[in-house]
Amino acid sequence: GDEPPEKCPLCGADASQFVEIDGEGKQIGGEEEPSESLDGPVPGVTGEAAQQPLTLYDRVTDLILKFHLHPIHTHFPNGILPVMVIFLGLGVFLNLSSLETAAFYNNIAVLVMLPEVIFTGYVEWQKRYKGLKSAVFITKIICSLIVLFSVNVLVFWRIIDPAVASDGSPAQMIYFGVAAAALAAAGIAGHLGGKLAFAGRG
């Protein structure tokens, strides 16, 4: 239309964040050309800020955006977590210690990946969405923290008490509940991320 909506229906950004672009994606109007990063123009960066040399952090974060490292990293824990919960569930309810052990090793893999997922997600949020504090991003942040906390609990609780998920353990179902919470939080975060990433597709 002739005017932007009051709020973006996907991320909740207000109308002041919208710019008019032509068919090639270039901004129409603006007093000065936006700066060039490794991933092309950076909307909203003009004047002196556009002329300053990029720091090492800027170069690294531009590469994170250019090569879409957040969705790439996110797919690993989001693929492993359901397998972990299935293995743990089979281990708990069918008393299969080998699958419970497999779930533990899957948890370690998720824990190793989470710092990269959270850092690249933070970069995406700050650089692509200007740190917008809308419900979508607050929910994603909360879900990420729940996953991080839950997986730490699952790994270190199992290290401290190797029998925590074994048959007869009084904490067995609590342990499984923590795993289910991690999966649910990852699913919500992934769903919201998908809405943002694939908004223009059908």
Side-chain angles (χ1 to χ4, degrees), residues 33 47 123 146 171:
E33 289 297 314
V123 170
I146 290 171

Side-chain angles (χ1 to χ4, degrees), residues 60-89:
V60 170
T61 54
D62 281 346
L63 286 169
I64 287 172
L65 295 182
K66 180 176 182 178
F67 294 107
H68 310 290
L69 294 188
H70 179 60
I72 289 172
H73 282 83
T74 301
H75 277 80
F76 286 97
N78 280 4
I80 295 172
L81 276 169
V83 175
M84 178 274 292
V85 172
I86 291 170
F87 282 177
L88 182 61

Side-chain angles (χ1 to χ4, degrees), residues 159-180:
I159 290 172
I160 293 167
D161 180 8
V164 64
S166 300
D167 190 37
S169 168
Q172 186 184 51
M173 294 312 298
I174 297 173
Y175 189 83
F176 181 74
V178 173

Side-chain angles (χ1 to χ4, degrees), residues 5 29 41-42 49 51 109 161 168 170:
V42 179
Q51 306 305 319
D161 180 8

Side-chain angles (χ1 to χ4, degrees), residues 138-188:
I138 297 300
T139 304
K140 279 175 64 65
I141 291 167
I142 291 171
C143 286
S144 299
L145 294 175
I146 290 171
V147 174
L148 181 63
F149 174 78
S150 300
V151 173
N152 270 282
V153 167
L154 293 170
V155 169
F156 290 104
W157 194 355
R158 173 66 161 66
I159 290 172
I160 293 167
D161 180 8
V164 64
S166 300
D167 190 37
S169 168
Q172 186 184 51
M173 294 312 298
I174 297 173
Y175 189 83
F176 181 74
V178 173
L183 178 60
I188 293 168

Side-chain angles (χ1 to χ4, degrees), residues 70-71 74 129 136 140 186-199:
H70 179 60
T74 301
Y129 298 99
V136 169
K140 279 175 64 65
I188 293 168
H191 171 70
L192 295 175
K195 285 180 66 176
L196 291 170
F198 302 111

